[in-house]
Amino acid sequence: MPHFAPVRVRGGRRLHRLVRHRRRALAVGLAVTAAALVAAGPHPVTGGQETRRSRGHPVTEPMGERHGPRLVAAPVRIADAATVRLLRPGDRVDVVASGDGGAGDASVLARGVRVAKVPEPVEGSAVGGALVVVSVPRATAHRLVGAATTARLAVTVC
């Protein structure tokens, strides 16, 4: 068999160098793939505002109003003034009504409501409890007002 010179592939050393530096080769491959995906991505057909907005960035237009329950500030007189001193605006509490009948008559009026404000206590009002302002849906505010006339209210910190 005759002796042949080795076959050399053009650019073979470059490929060998890329294989040696795998991290760099992987980064280059990912960059090329990302560029190809952006170039081949969907283009807006209309000539309106969509063409001016760059793709891949968040929308800069303001979001619409949420359609959840609208919250109102409801003042609630808590029977134990010392408990109210523990509360700060932003705390989450459960508002509990206890009837005059004893231990078994407690019911939760509002769960996980946010304390909006804790007004400074007025001198001499410790006997009548203390005031807390909570953010609740309008229907819950009506229940709180109704229950405050017939029961003693308390809060538990969530």
Side-chain angles (χ1 to χ4, degrees):
M1 173 161 296
H3 180 14
F4 291 105
V7 177
R8 298 207 185 267
V9 177
R10 234 171 126 176
R13 287 187 183 205
R14 234 181 272 156
L15 181 63
H16 181 66
R17 201 176 311 141
L18 280 176
V19 170
R20 226 179 344 161
H21 303 286
R22 280 183 237 155
R23 285 189 189 141
R24 190 177 301 155
L26 182 63
V28 168
L30 286 173
V32 168
T33 303
L37 287 173
V38 168
H43 295 283
V45 179
T46 62
Q49 186 178 3
E50 292 294 322
T51 57
R52 288 181 294 207
R53 186 182 304 148
S54 61
R55 290 180 293 145
H57 295 283
V59 177
T60 57
E61 297 170 359
M63 297 270 306
E65 200 174 307
R66 290 186 180 183
H67 297 289
R70 188 169 172 95
L71 299 179
V72 296
V76 178
R77 182 154 304 275
I78 304 301
D80 185 14
T83 304
V84 174
R85 286 195 305 251
L86 300 173
L87 300 177
R88 301 285 176 257
D91 288 348
R92 294 276 184 176
V93 295
D94 292 345
V95 180
V96 180
S98 62
D100 294 332
D105 295 342
S107 63
V108 178
L109 298 174
R111 295 183 189 277
V113 297
R114 187 173 300 272
V115 174
K117 188 174 181 180
V118 182
E120 291 295 320
V122 179
E123 293 298 323
S125 66
V127 176
L131 196 64
V132 176
V133 180
V134 293
S135 295
V136 293
R138 189 174 299 272
T140 305
H142 294 165
R143 273 188 291 164
L144 290 173
V145 170
T149 61
T150 60
R152 293 172 46 102
L153 300 182
V155 292
T156 59
V157 180
C158 299

